[in-house]
Amino acid sequence: MTPPDFTAFRSTPITELLGIDAPVVLGPFGGVSSVQLTAAVSDGGGLGSYGFYGYDGGAIRRTAADLREATDRPFALNLWIPTGDEAEAVDQADFDRFTGLLKPYFEELGIPLPEMPSRYLPDYGEQVEATLEASPAVVSFVFGVPAPQVVEDAHRRGIKVLGTATTVEEAVALEAGGVDAVVASGMESGGHRVSFLRPADESLVGTFALVPQVADAVRIPVIAAGGIADRRGVAAAFALGAEAVQVGTAFLATRESAAVPAYRSLLFSPSAGRTVLTRALSGRLARGIPNRVTTDLADARSIAPFPIQNWLTGRFRPEAASRGNIGLMSLWAGQAAPLIRHDTAADVLAELLAGVG
């Protein structure tokens, strides 16, 4: 496709706020972010994003340095806010029970069963400190409202703050918390449902219903997410009151993403049109393409609480991915996956930007 002419786009509060040319944000992937894809979206005029789920301070600093080497354009770094319902530990008997339920997968891959760790997630305070020290153009948050001190520290460093809402009430709370813009994430979105005021199952609002209500309820710019994969979705989002779009699945299918070839191929297949909401892989509700794990662990009693389940499946998912074993991987995907037509970040960007008026 012909590279877009950014002079033809109308500037929006989002583009001016974030210092970008085009109102497109890359959805931050918790486990399959890549420096190459983040840089490609930023270099293409949008806002590349990189998800730091599970990263400690050292990994955050190294990755931020790699991003600065890869692009001189603005990018966002993303963090998960602790909700307070994380299971910090279980006793040995429960750990052994949950591990035993996953034993067939470890055996199939020839991996020994893991021993109980001292902790399942890195320290959030350490993550925040390292992220702010990296001084990205933007820091984005999911699963809550960042603490006032965090917002203040970010602003003092010249960093813009994005929050993510799945309901109008969450968007209002984020605005009150001082964020600069809000991502309105409809239930069509792939990956985890990042609700925080009510349970995720009670916060399943579609993008077309959510975006205009959020736009009416807050004064800060709104970024529409969920069910957007081509120019038509972009045009619709703008008509509903959004000033930018956030797109995940369409970029996940590109060569620049960290998704393995078998995963990317699946996103172009009919299977991508049959996503489900499941807790099987992580213990939290997320949208993805069903596979053996989601089917086997349909009974909630088979699933450890978050983040224990995510940690446990994370011991075998990388090996499954390296072998292209889609039955034992996380296959996050949004409901617009059947609209994907392009396999490079540049072509996806060009398609999306064709919908910007």
Side-chain angles (χ1 to χ4, degrees):
M1 288 189 175
T2 303
D5 174 13
F6 295 118
T7 63
F9 300 151
R10 60 184 172 90
S11 64
T12 72
I14 282 287
T15 58
E16 295 174 1
L17 175 74
L18 305 181
I20 57 179
D21 295 312
V24 175
V25 178
L26 170 65
F29 307 126
V32 284
S33 285
S34 79
V35 169
Q36 186 181 9
L37 178 56
T38 302
V41 173
S42 290
D43 286 344
L47 182 71
S49 303
Y50 196 105
F52 279 149
Y53 175 82
Y55 282 52
D56 63 17
I60 288 173
R61 292 182 179 90
R62 289 190 296 273
T63 303
D66 290 342
L67 285 165
R68 291 205 182 282
E69 285 288 321
T71 181
D72 60 1
R73 300 288 295 160
F75 57 81
L77 303 180
N78 176 263
L79 295 173
W80 290 33
I81 298 174
T83 64
D85 66 350
E86 292 84 359
E88 295 184 2
V90 292
D91 61 28
Q92 188 67 54
D94 280 338
F95 180 84
D96 290 344
R97 178 171 67 86
F98 288 126
T99 304
L101 292 168
L102 303 175
K103 184 177 180 180
Y105 310 138
F106 286 95
E107 291 180 338
E108 179 177 328
L109 296 169
I111 301 172
L113 291 177
E115 297 182 358
M116 188 165 64
S118 59
R119 64 183 309 155
Y120 296 92
L121 286 172
D123 180 72
Y124 174 67
E126 176 186 330
Q127 289 184 308
V128 169
E129 180 181 0
T131 299
L132 295 183
E133 283 180 3
S135 291
V138 179
V139 60
S140 63
F141 293 90
V142 292
F143 285 109
V145 179
Q149 188 61 54
V150 172
V151 175
E152 181 182 328
D153 288 349
H155 286 161
R156 188 174 64 251
R157 295 170 184 262
I159 303 170
K160 303 303 180 185
V161 181
L162 302 184
T164 308
T166 64
T167 65
V168 174
E169 294 80 6
E170 290 177 352
V172 170
L174 285 162
E175 181 180 41
V179 305
D180 298 292
V182 61
V183 178
S185 177
M187 68 176 181
E188 299 93 331
S189 300
H192 284 87
R193 301 306 304 138
V194 295
S195 306
F196 58 91
L197 289 183
R198 294 198 304 271
D201 336 53
E202 300 173 14
S203 307
L204 298 174
V205 186
T207 303
F208 269 48
L210 180 63
V211 171
Q213 291 183 67
V214 170
D216 287 349
V218 301
R219 294 181 298 276
I220 55 177
V222 177
I223 302 169
I228 301 170
D230 63 14
R231 65 188 70 188
R232 294 170 295 180
V234 174
F238 273 76
L240 294 171
E243 293 168 356
V245 296
Q246 178 172 288
V247 176
T249 308
F251 283 115
L252 185 61
T254 65
R255 302 172 200 168
E256 293 92 344
S257 92
V260 297
Y263 187 176
R264 297 201 311 272
S265 294
L266 195 65
L267 291 172
F268 288 98
S269 76
S271 296
R274 298 188 290 271
T275 61
V276 297
L277 289 167
T278 179
R279 287 185 169 82
L281 277 305
S282 72
R284 277 186 176 168
L285 198 66
R287 182 176 297 283
I289 301 169
N291 62 1
R292 179 178 161 195
V293 175
T294 63
T295 300
D296 290 351
L297 304 183
D299 186 339
R301 292 171 296 182
S302 302
I303 303 170
F306 177 86
I308 297 172
Q309 182 75 1
N310 204 45
W311 186 90
L312 285 171
T313 65
R315 301 314 98 191
F316 64 76
R317 285 186 278 116
E319 180 63 24
S322 71
R323 301 185 191 186
N325 185 339
I326 60 174
L328 304 183
M329 295 164 53
S330 296
L331 301 172
W332 306 136
Q335 289 185 325
L339 300 176
I340 296 172
R341 299 289 183 271
H342 307 291
D343 68 352
T344 69
D347 283 348
V348 172
L349 264 174
E351 168 61 30
L352 295 170
L353 295 175
V356 179

